[in-house]
Amino acid sequence: MGLNRFDFAIIALYLAGITLFGLSFRKRQRSLRDYFLAGRDIPWWAIALSIVAAETSTLTIISIPGLAYDTNFTFLQVVMGYVVGRIIISLVLLPHYFRGDLYTAYELIERRFGRGLRSLTAGLFLLTRAAAEGVRVYAVSIVVSIALGTGEVASIAMITLLTLIYTFEGGLAAVIWTDVVQTVIYVGGTLVGMATILHLVPGGWAAIHAAAAGAGKLQVFDFTRSIWIPYTFWSGVIGGTFFTVASHGTDQLIVQRLLAARGRKQSAAALISSGVAVLAQFTLFLTVGILLWAYYRVPSAVFGKPDRIYPTFIVTRMPHGVSGLLIAAILAAAMSNLSAALNSLSSSAILDFYVWLRPAVDEKARMRLSRLATVLWACVLFALAVIALHKAGRVVEVGLQIASVAYGALLGAFLLGVLTRRANQRGAMTGMVCGFAVELYLWQWTRVPWTWWVLIGTAVTFGVGYGVSLLMTKTRE
C-alpha cells in the first residue's frame, strides 16, 4: 500500500510541532541548574513519563514485537526485575543523591572516594552510553527508510538534526516535557495499531488467542534452571533487577531526571510508578508481536530481520492516516530517547570534566560550552549510528548488551561507596577495572546471556574492590 500524502502530512506536522514545542523552553535556560536539572521543579508524574520515554527507544517499539514474533512473552520476566530494581534504588541510592546539591550521579562517587574515581565512572558512562545510543539511533533508520524511502544515513541525519534543535535550546526541561507529549503519542499510536491488526485478522482476538496459546506464544514464565537461556524466571528477575539498579541508579541518563524532582519522595514516586508503566508498556509491545505473528504466519527471515516486521506492516497494511500516525509515534520514541542522551552526555562531559579542569569559567561561558557539547555529542551519535548500520541481530538486544558491559563495574563501585566504609578509591578503581574486563570477556568470548552480565560484573567489582581495600589498609598498618 505505502504511505500517501495524508500520511506524510501527519508525519511532517508531528516533526514540526514537537520541535517548536521543545523550542518554547529556550528562554527559561539561564544557568546550568536550569539547563541540566530544569530548575529542580518538575512534578513527579512528568518525570515518571520521561523515564518511561527515555528507556523506550525505537529499539523497543520495533524490536520487542519482533522478539515476540519469534518467541513468546518470557521477556516480561526481565521487566519484572525492572520493577524490583526501582524499589531497591529508592531505598539504597536515592537518599544519598538528595544529600547535597548534586548535578550528576558521579559527584556522589567523588564525595565518597575522590576525584579519580569520579572521572573513571563518568568516563565509562560516556563511552558506553554513546555506543548504546548509536545503536538506538540506527534503529530509527530502519523505520524511516521503510516509510519514507530515504537512505538510512539521510534518515539518521534528519532525526538527529531535528532533535538537536530543541535539545540545544531548551535543555532538560524541553527534554522532559517533550517526553510527556511523545509518550502519549507513541502509546496512543500503538493502541490504534493493535485495534487495526485485530480487525484485519479473521476471527479477531478469539482466533489469535487460540492459535497463540496452541503454539506456546503466550508463555510468560520459564523456571528452567539453566544459565544459558537468557529469559528464564531466574535470569530475568535477578538479571533485570541488577540491570535496572545499574541503569536507573548509576546512569546519568536516568539519574539526571531523578535529580530534577522537587524532592526525594517525589523522585521515588516517579521512579517506582515508571516501573509499573514500563511493565504495562512491554506487555503492549509484546502483544503487538503476537498479533503480527497471527496475521503473517511466516518465518521472520522473510522480512530480512525481525526488527523490520512491524515497520513493514505499518507501511504496507495499515489504512492511510493510521500508518502516518504510527510512523510519527515511532519517531516520537526515537526523538525522545535521543534528546535524553544528548542532554545527559553533555551534562556529564561539562560537569564531571570541564568544570573540574576550568573551575574559574563563569556561568555564561559554561552555558555556551554546554550547548556546544550537545552539538558535538550529536555528531558522535550520528557517526556511531552509521557504523551500527552493519550490525546484525535484534537491535534491542544489541543495545542492552552494550549497556550491560559497563553497568556491572559502575554498580559495583556505587555499592562499595554506599554500603561499605572500609573501601577506598584505589581498591574501588581496581575492582572496576576487573569487573569491566570480566564483562568484556562475557560479551566477546562466552555464551553467557546478557541478563547475567551486570550481576557478575557487580560481584567481581565489589569483591575485588573490597578485598584490595582491606589489603591496602593492612599493609599500611
Side-chain angles (χ1 to χ4, degrees), residues 70-394:
D70 278 345
T71 58
N72 46 39
F73 277 81
T74 51
F75 187 83
L76 279 181
Q77 296 168 116
V78 179
V79 187
M80 294 172 190
Y82 291 177
V83 179
V84 177
R86 283 163 159 85
I87 296 172
I88 293 173
I89 294 169
S90 299
L91 297 173
V92 176
L93 291 174
L94 272 188
H96 294 275
Y97 281 130
F98 280 87
R99 291 173 189 164
D101 190 27
L102 302 185
Y103 281 69
T104 75
Y106 315 108
E107 289 180 84
L108 177 61
I109 290 293
E110 181 180 17
R111 191 167 64 187
R112 171 63 176 83
F113 290 111
R115 178 68 234 183
L117 193 59
R118 176 182 177 179
S119 297
L120 180 60
T121 52
L124 190 57
F125 158 73
L126 293 175
L127 177 66
T128 54
R129 173 51 59 190
E133 291 304 323
V135 176
R136 288 182 167 189
V137 176
Y138 152 66
V140 182
S141 69
I142 297 175
V143 179
V144 179
S145 60
I146 291 174
L148 306 183
T150 56
E152 291 177 320
V153 174
S155 303
I156 294 169
M158 178 183 70
I159 296 301
T160 302
L161 179 61
L162 289 173
T163 308
L164 172 63
I165 291 172
Y166 71 77
T167 309
F168 176 88
E169 292 288 352
L172 186 64
V175 171
I176 289 177
W177 288 110
T178 53
D179 281 351
V180 171
V181 174
Q182 292 175 143
T183 302
V184 173
I185 291 173
Y186 74 70
V187 171
T190 303
L191 290 171
V192 172
M194 284 182 61
T196 305
I197 302 173
L198 285 169
H199 178 72
L200 292 174
V201 177
W205 174 248
I208 294 171
H209 185 275
K217 306 290 286 184
L218 302 182
Q219 179 184 358
V220 175
F221 295 104
D222 181 351
F223 293 98
T224 303
R225 295 180 181 179
S226 172
I227 193 175
W228 309 112
I229 302 175
Y231 307 129
T232 66
F233 180 81
W234 317 107
S235 64
V237 175
I238 298 173
T241 297
F242 272 84
F243 182 88
T244 298
V245 175
S247 65
H248 289 54
T250 72
D251 191 320
Q252 176 67 1
L253 184 78
I254 301 297
V255 173
Q256 185 178 11
R257 284 161 171 70
L258 299 177
L259 292 174
R262 293 168 178 168
R264 181 167 67 88
K265 290 184 178 179
Q266 288 224 355
S267 185
L271 184 61
I272 294 173
S273 60
S274 72
V276 177
V278 163
L279 180 60
Q281 184 175 263
F282 271 93
T283 304
L284 180 69
F285 293 133
L286 288 165
T287 302
V288 169
I290 300 300
L291 298 181
L292 291 170
W293 171 83
Y295 178 80
Y296 282 115
R297 300 292 183 94
V298 297
S300 61
V302 172
F303 299 89
K305 293 181 180 181
D307 306 313
R308 298 181 66 88
I309 298 172
Y310 190 32
T312 300
F313 179 85
I314 291 171
V315 173
T316 60
R317 295 290 186 268
M318 287 288 188
H320 292 303
V322 175
S323 55
L325 174 65
L326 285 170
I327 294 297
I330 293 174
L331 294 180
M335 295 178 72
S336 170
N337 205 264
L338 179 55
S339 65
L342 291 176
N343 196 257
S344 63
L345 288 166
S346 61
S347 68
S348 182
I350 295 298
L351 297 171
D352 290 320
F353 291 98
Y354 183 82
V355 170
W356 172 61
L357 294 171
R358 301 287 298 275
V361 176
D362 62 30
E363 194 75 1
K364 286 187 177 180
R366 290 179 179 180
M367 284 291 294
R368 287 196 302 270
L369 289 166
S370 297
R371 289 191 165 99
L372 175 60
T374 303
V375 175
L376 293 176
W377 279 113
C379 296
V380 170
L381 295 187
F382 172 79
L384 291 172
V386 173
I387 294 172
L389 285 174
H390 305 291
K391 190 72 177 179
R394 300 187 190 97

